[in-house]
Amino acid sequence: MSKERQIGTVRVEFASKRTVVVALIGEHDLDSRSALRATLAYATESRNLLVDLTACTFIDSAVISLLLATQRRLEAAGRRAELIVPPHPGYVTRLFEVTGIASVFSVHSARSTALASIAEFALLGQKTA
Amino acid sequence: MEEVFARGGIAYRRHLAMGALLAVLLLVVVAGTLAWGQYQGAQRTALGNERARAVLAGSVIDSYFGGELATLRSIAGSPPVVGRDTASMQRYFTRLQPAGGHGLFGAGLAWIDRAGVARVAALRGADARHPDLSDRSFVSQVNATGTPFVSERTNGWFGREHVIVMAMPTRDLRGHTTGVLAAAVRPQALMITRGALDLGDSGLVILDREGRSVVGGFTRPKNLALVRTLGGTGVRSDTVGLDGTSDHALAYTTSAIPGWTIVIDRPRAVLFSDARRGFFLELALVAAAVAILLFLIALIVLHGRREAERERTRSRQRHELSNILGSASLGSDVSDGLVAGLAEAFPDALCIVALEDADHHGLTLSGSAEGAFPSTAAARAIVVEQAATLAYDSGAAIVIGKEPGLRSTLPGVHKALLGAAHSFYATPLVNRGGSRLGALCLLFAHTHPLSESEQAQVAWYAEQAATALDRTTAFEREHEVAVRLQRSLLSERLPEVEGVELIGRYNAGGAGLEVGGDWYDAVRRSDGIVHVTVGDVAGHGVTAAVLMGQLRNAFRAHAYEHTSPAELLRRMLRHVDEDEMATALCLTLDPYTQELTYASAGHPPSLLVDGDAAVVSRLGHALAPPLGYVQASAIREATVELPAGATLVAYTDGLVERRGWSIDAGIDLLASVVGSSAALAAEPLADRIFEEVAPHIGSHDDIALLIVRLLEVPRRMDIEVPSDPASMVTIRRRMRAWLELRGLTDDERDDTLLAVSEACNNAIEHGYPLEPGPLRVLVEHGEGTLVIRVEDRGAWHPTSPSFERGRGIPLMRAVMDTAEIEHDGRGTRVLLSRLLA
């Protein structure tokens, strides 16, 4: 059982003053949703969000809904929530393909491009501000 | 009792032999003493006889001289002598003593006047010279004393002979002494009496007073000094003889008239020869008696030894039989042991043992195969049955030493028996309570009377057998109870699991042995996982069966609570007390993932056979000491992925443990049989194991065998789990493995996992929002289709719509071809389907 518990974990990295990277590792579902929600709420209090799904093996509608809600909350606050999904085929790629979520989020294939994109937005945002 | 049996007789005989030897010794001493006494007595008698002879010889000499003197006196009184007419005196003398003839006196007769002149003489022999009577002192002595005279020694000689002179005074009519009448006597005349005296050839010596031998022809004495010391009458039993040699006996007496000494001198050897002969004869008699007695004692001792040897043999046989009967657990063990024991004790007998059947309606017979009679099997069967029935019916011992007794004592005896047996012995087997349990009998083809000790032995055998039978009967009864108990505890049927063949076998081992505590069991949980256990409680009988029941109950109770075999073993451990021991194997098989997890507590390793490669491996990890010894924390578990078509063989040690073998040898034998039978289904495999392994092991222990065989990946995954969001990870993991085994593409698999997750989320959120309930997930993989059905039994609880909800059903619809949700009073069912590539 302990082996299975380890599957759904989250790693939070404060990549810069303005950006936090939350990596979902393993499987995330209804069971891990509330923990994930709390984590995201804390991590994104004043930062842009990059959700790294590279090591994610499963997410269901509960997690997708949480991600969408978080994105809506951040955008309302003038911040960004973007995704990192590796280009190679896998569960998440397939899910995004089937559900069309990719059209809602900005999806990056690598962390470097995602961070660059966020930094650019932050600069723009500052300029705009 | 055994001691008395074995030792009493021997000790008794040993004492008897010692007593007899002592008696013989006493006899020798007493008889020897008596013989010695007799010998002494005989010596004394011989000496006495010798003395009597000496006295007799003395008196003969006395009477001889007395007679001569009387003759001389009557001549002196005759008229010619009284009248002193010398011419008539000469004529008278010549008449009395004719020349050349035998006169009254050996040498001659003469009258000498007072002046000492020989006036008249009649001498023997014509040529005889004048006698030398030069010593005429006796003339004056006789003249002076007027008394007769006998010379004390040979006085002068006549011819070549010494003579003894006798003199008598002569008187005239007035009584005046006129002269002396002298006669010469030849000592040779005494020789005449020698034979009459029976003095033997030698030893008689007559000596004059000067020690000169008077009687000729005798040994010339050399030791005359000895004679001078002898006076009166007596014997000297051990002295120097007259010839100067020692070891002589002397008898002597002094003659009265001439005052001579008569000595009889003989060597002791001669004198005592009779006494010694008698003594030796007696000694020989005693020796003969002793020899006879010693021979008899030796016979008795030898006989005793042989008897003791036989008794030792019997004692050993009794001891062996006691051991055999003591370890017997079945009536047949008793009868076999008894037949063997009787056959050894009586090798030329046909030994038959009849035991009453458990239902008291018949007899079970067993007999020794020994003996060439009866010659045919059919005749033998009749004889055996006849004899056994007779022995059993008699109720008392039958002892018939000779064939005629058989007919008269047992009228109606079968002629086959009459023809076969000349001696017949039988005794019923009666227990302490007096119940008849059977009989034993001995048949001899020839006349063979049994000695008392042999009969006692047979009786002892019967008694021992009856005691053993009492025990085995009680044992068999308990065994039956225990077998029933165990059978009632063992699962009649194992759960049916799709894609898996699962069978259990139990073999109670030798019917005579106590039932063991072996078990197997299997439980299929609602989540599809199968729990299997095999175990063995140490010990036998009802106690073991009861603990076995407890352990199986624990297994069943906890199998629904726990998926971990190690955890199950820990729960079972709680039921095992410190003085109890059990080995157990618990394992879980997930038919969907084809994973096997196992934990063993002291149990022999199960064998896993790869269906294709026929490679046999032992489940050798996750081993712990047996229950009763192991600490709960030491119980581990290990997981293996089963290859396709794999077969698992779990068993108890009765299958592989053989005395004298290492347990590995037994397991290897099992492995070789299992490895060569990989294609067999579980049932034939079990048959083959019992045919090919169990006989080689030959164990009387009971055996539990459980075989799990993977047939194929199940077509349907059908599980029921609690509606716990936390369990979703596990469900997806198992389902992912199953879908992969079923050969779905990665996309089809991922879509299915997502759809099932969404359907389950639906049930968790809407069916059981307050507390969890059962959630059934059924996925069926058909020909090119996948049908999913997720059911809950909750009432539908609509939730308030929010941005975070409501995306499940669209998702399901997105990844499935059809998606329907049904609500009714029984709950909610989500039905999904999808066509596959």
Side-chain angles (χ1 to χ4, degrees):
Chain A
M1 291 300 264
S2 53
K3 184 177 67 181
E4 292 163 357
R5 281 269 177 229
Q6 284 172 356
I7 289 171
T9 57
V10 175
R11 196 171 62 231
V12 180
E13 286 176 60
F14 294 99
S16 72
K17 214 173 169 183
R18 298 210 161 260
T19 308
V20 64
V21 180
V22 174
L24 302 192
I25 298 159
E27 301 195 1
H28 289 271
D29 58 8
L30 194 61
D31 190 37
S32 57
R33 182 176 63 176
S34 32
L36 190 55
R37 184 193 291 124
T39 306
L40 289 175
Y42 162 73
T44 60
E45 215 171 325
S46 59
R47 287 181 173 85
N48 298 308
L49 173 67
L50 265 178
V51 177
D52 186 349
L53 296 174
T54 310
C56 182
T57 52
F58 180 84
I59 50 173
D60 64 2
S61 66
V63 178
I64 292 170
S65 296
L66 176 63
L67 292 178
L68 287 172
T70 306
Q71 188 205 33
R72 208 163 82 160
R73 181 165 56 79
L74 288 182
E75 282 184 351
R79 280 176 278 152
R80 297 285 293 173
E82 297 183 1
L83 303 180
I84 304 169
V85 176
H88 53 79
Y91 173 81
V92 175
T93 321
R94 165 74 180 163
L95 180 70
F96 280 30
E97 188 184 309
V98 170
T99 55
I101 290 172
S103 60
V104 181
F105 286 99
S106 299
V107 178
H108 306 279
S109 59
R111 177 183 281 219
S112 52
T113 54
L115 283 172
S117 161
I118 289 282
E120 190 184 336
F121 168 76
L123 202 63
L124 274 172
Q126 272 184 339
K127 279 177 186 171
T128 314
Chain B
M1 171 180 173
E2 181 71 6
E3 279 304 301
V4 175
F5 232 128
R7 301 272 166 221
I10 295 167
Y12 171 71
R13 269 186 221 102
R14 191 169 294 158
H15 291 149
L16 194 70
M18 290 301 294
L21 273 177
L22 278 176
V24 167
L25 206 62
L26 199 64
L27 174 75
V28 167
V29 169
V30 169
T33 310
L34 282 176
W36 181 250
Q38 275 192 323
Y39 175 53
Q40 298 280 334
Q43 282 189 338
R44 275 193 300 276
T45 306
L47 285 174
N49 289 344
E50 207 72 344
R51 185 176 185 269
R53 284 195 186 107
V55 170
L56 181 62
S59 62
V60 165
I61 287 168
D62 279 354
S63 60
Y64 174 75
F65 283 112
E68 297 286 284
L69 281 175
T71 307
L72 212 53
R73 184 177 290 122
S74 62
I75 293 170
S78 65
V81 177
V82 173
R84 281 188 291 172
D85 176 0
T86 49
S88 59
M89 210 187 302
Q90 183 66 50
R91 281 193 303 276
Y92 179 54
F93 278 20
T94 306
R95 206 165 54 239
L96 288 176
Q97 195 73 29
H102 292 283
L104 280 174
F105 300 99
L109 189 67
W111 183 71
I112 303 163
D113 65 13
R114 285 183 62 90
V117 179
R119 301 285 295 272
V120 182
L123 300 175
R124 193 172 65 97
D127 58 340
R129 288 177 297 172
H130 194 272
D132 177 11
L133 298 171
S134 54
D135 181 4
R136 305 270 176 96
S137 62
F138 68 89
V139 176
S140 54
Q141 188 186 335
V142 170
N143 281 331
T145 61
T147 53
F149 166 84
V150 177
S151 68
E152 292 182 351
R153 57 181 174 85
T154 49
N155 194 352
W157 48 283
F158 184 80
R160 285 177 186 166
E161 283 180 292
H162 289 279
V163 291
I164 298 165
V165 175
M166 302 172 79
M168 182 69 70
T170 56
R171 295 172 203 276
D172 57 18
L173 290 171
R174 289 188 302 269
H176 294 118
T177 306
T178 56
V180 173
L181 185 64
V185 177
R186 292 161 64 203
Q188 210 67 36
L190 285 169
M191 291 285 283
I192 299 161
T193 62
R194 195 182 66 180
L197 288 173
D198 186 23
L199 295 175
D201 292 327
S202 62
L204 178 65
V205 177
I206 301 177
L207 303 165
D208 67 15
R209 292 205 179 163
E210 292 178 350
R212 279 184 292 192
S213 177
V214 173
V215 179
F218 291 88
T219 310
R220 178 84 189 163
K222 293 173 182 169
N223 192 14
L224 285 173
L226 171 71
V227 179
R228 290 194 192 99
T229 67
L230 304 175
T233 300
V235 290
R236 290 192 179 180
S237 65
D238 191 1
T239 182
V240 177
L242 291 174
D243 58 358
T245 60
S246 59
D247 240 2
H248 279 235
L250 297 182
Y252 56 91
T253 186
T254 307
S255 175
I257 293 174
W260 292 358
T261 300
I262 291 96
V263 177
I264 302 176
D265 172 7
R266 285 206 271 192
R268 287 164 59 85
V270 175
L271 180 62
F272 296 146
S273 64
D274 284 350
R276 206 164 42 237
R277 197 177 303 124
F279 179 59
F280 286 147
L281 193 65
E282 280 191 41
L283 283 187
L285 277 174
V286 169
V290 165
I292 289 170
L293 281 175
L294 285 179
F295 176 70
L296 288 176
I297 290 171
L299 267 187
I300 291 171
V301 166
L302 276 180
H303 178 74
R305 282 223 180 123
R306 272 201 297 275
E307 190 59 35
E309 187 59 41
R310 275 199 289 274
E311 186 49 54
R312 265 199 294 282
T313 307
R314 281 189 211 126
S315 171
R316 180 180 52 75
Q317 289 167 350
R318 279 196 295 273
H319 185 68
E320 284 172 5
L321 187 73
S322 281
N323 284 346
I324 290 169
L325 295 183
S327 61
S329 47
L330 273 185
S332 59
D333 295 345
V334 174
S335 57
D336 291 350
L338 191 55
V339 165
L342 286 171
E344 196 191 342
F346 304 98
D348 48 356
L350 174 61
C351 312
I352 302 162
V353 172
L355 292 190
E356 198 177 51
D357 292 338
D359 57 4
H360 306 292
H361 288 314
L363 291 173
T364 302
L365 302 178
S366 42
S368 62
E370 213 43 58
F373 81 101
S375 49
T376 67
R380 189 180 147 89
I382 293 174
V383 167
V384 165
E385 198 195 334
Q386 269 281 309
T389 312
L390 276 173
Y392 180 75
D393 290 346
S394 69
I398 304 175
V399 179
I400 296 170
K402 286 184 179 175
E403 188 264 338
L406 208 57
R407 198 188 297 271
S408 57
T409 312
L410 306 169
V413 62
H414 197 282
K415 66 176 191 293
L417 186 55
L418 270 182
H422 280 211
S423 291
F424 181 81
Y425 298 89
T427 183
L429 306 178
V430 180
N431 69 5
R432 288 178 201 280
S435 306
R436 217 184 305 162
L437 308 173
L440 69 84
C441 52
L442 298 175
L443 297 175
F444 294 91
H446 51 274
T447 301
H448 182 117
L450 287 196
S451 70
E452 271 189 27
S453 66
E454 284 174 322
Q455 290 188 31
Q457 176 141 358
V458 174
W460 186 87
Y461 277 20
E463 192 186 315
Q464 294 292 307
T467 309
L469 282 173
D470 263 358
R471 201 169 40 70
T472 57
T473 308
F475 183 88
E476 281 170 20
R477 212 168 286 144
E478 196 211 347
H479 178 69
E480 203 180 309
V481 170
V483 166
R484 275 193 201 157
L485 179 61
Q486 183 168 39
R487 285 274 152 80
S488 72
L489 290 171
L490 276 180
S491 300
E492 299 240 322
R493 194 177 297 165
L494 294 178
E496 294 205 356
V497 180
E498 190 184 354
V500 177
E501 200 179 5
L502 183 62
I503 65 153
R505 288 276 183 91
Y506 176 75
N507 189 333
L513 288 163
E514 289 195 48
V515 68
D518 288 15
W519 78 82
Y520 63 81
D521 201 0
V523 164
R524 183 191 185 276
R525 287 162 52 99
S526 58
D527 63 3
I529 288 173
V530 182
H531 271 294
V532 174
T533 183
V534 173
D536 178 9
V537 173
H540 292 93
V542 176
T543 337
V546 167
L547 177 59
M548 182 270 273
Q550 288 175 344
L551 291 176
R552 282 195 50 246
N553 284 343
F555 166 80
R556 288 195 152 258
H558 295 292
Y560 295 102
E561 303 293 324
H562 301 275
T563 51
S564 154
E567 197 55 40
L568 274 185
L569 274 184
R570 288 182 197 119
R571 304 294 151 140
M572 288 159 76
L573 173 62
R574 295 174 186 173
H575 295 268
V576 182
D577 291 337
E578 276 182 7
D579 58 341
E580 294 172 323
M581 195 193 94
T583 68
L585 167 76
C586 282
L587 59 87
T588 54
L589 172 69
D590 189 334
Y592 306 119
T593 64
Q594 308 218 323
E595 278 174 349
L596 179 85
T597 304
Y598 66 92
S600 166
H603 205 74
S606 303
L607 299 181
L608 184 61
V609 195
D610 185 320
D612 299 327
V615 172
V616 183
S617 55
R618 297 184 184 185
L619 295 187
H621 301 100
L623 305 181
L627 303 179
Y629 291 92
V630 67
Q631 299 291 317
S633 58
I635 299 175
R636 304 255 182 276
E637 65 186 30
T639 301
V640 289
E641 276 184 33
L642 296 179
T647 302
L648 176 91
V649 178
Y651 51 89
T652 54
D653 55 9
L655 183 61
V656 293
E657 211 165 57
R658 175 184 170 145
R659 195 169 294 178
W661 281 22
S662 78
I663 193 169
D664 279 320
I667 296 173
D668 287 344
L669 173 65
L670 176 64
S672 69
V673 170
V674 170
S676 63
S677 319
L680 288 182
E683 290 285 358
L685 176 60
D687 290 342
R688 188 153 176 193
I689 287 172
F690 275 111
E691 281 164 18
E692 295 190 11
V693 178
H696 282 97
I697 299 300
S699 167
H700 293 299
D701 207 355
D702 49 352
I703 299 170
L705 175 69
L706 190 133
I707 297 177
V708 182
R709 189 158 177 265
L710 289 184
L711 300 176
E712 58 188 4
V713 181
R715 208 170 47 79
R716 303 188 319 158
M717 181 167 177
D718 185 1
I719 61 176
E720 188 174 291
V721 292
S723 61
D724 178 4
S727 64
M728 291 308 300
V729 176
T730 307
I731 293 171
R732 277 197 302 274
R733 187 181 67 77
R734 296 176 61 203
M735 190 172 289
R736 184 180 292 117
W738 177 66
L739 292 170
E740 281 170 4
L741 287 171
R742 292 298 300 174
L744 269 66
T745 65
D746 288 356
D747 285 351
E748 287 165 349
R749 176 198 69 201
D750 289 347
D751 291 353
T752 306
L753 289 176
L754 179 60
V756 168
S757 281
E758 294 303 336
C760 290
N761 286 352
N762 197 59
I764 291 165
E765 286 195 317
H766 297 289
Y768 306 109
L770 304 174
E771 55 187 48
L775 179 64
R776 186 182 178 207
V777 178
L778 176 68
V779 183
E780 196 165 348
H781 180 203
E783 290 288 322
T785 60
L786 197 71
V787 176
I788 301 168
R789 183 186 176 96
V790 176
E791 297 177 358
D792 67 63
R793 292 200 281 277
W796 178 265
H797 295 272
T799 51
S800 52
S802 83
F803 187 77
E804 275 197 28
R805 296 187 198 277
R807 291 192 174 81
I809 293 167
L811 255 179
M812 286 189 272
R813 293 221 162 96
V815 295
M816 290 285 128
D817 293 330
T818 65
E820 288 171 37
I821 300 177
E822 296 174 0
H823 307 284
D824 60 20
R826 286 175 299 163
T828 304
R829 287 169 297 285
V830 178
L831 303 169
L832 307 168
S833 73
R834 159 137 185 198
L835 289 172
L836 301 175

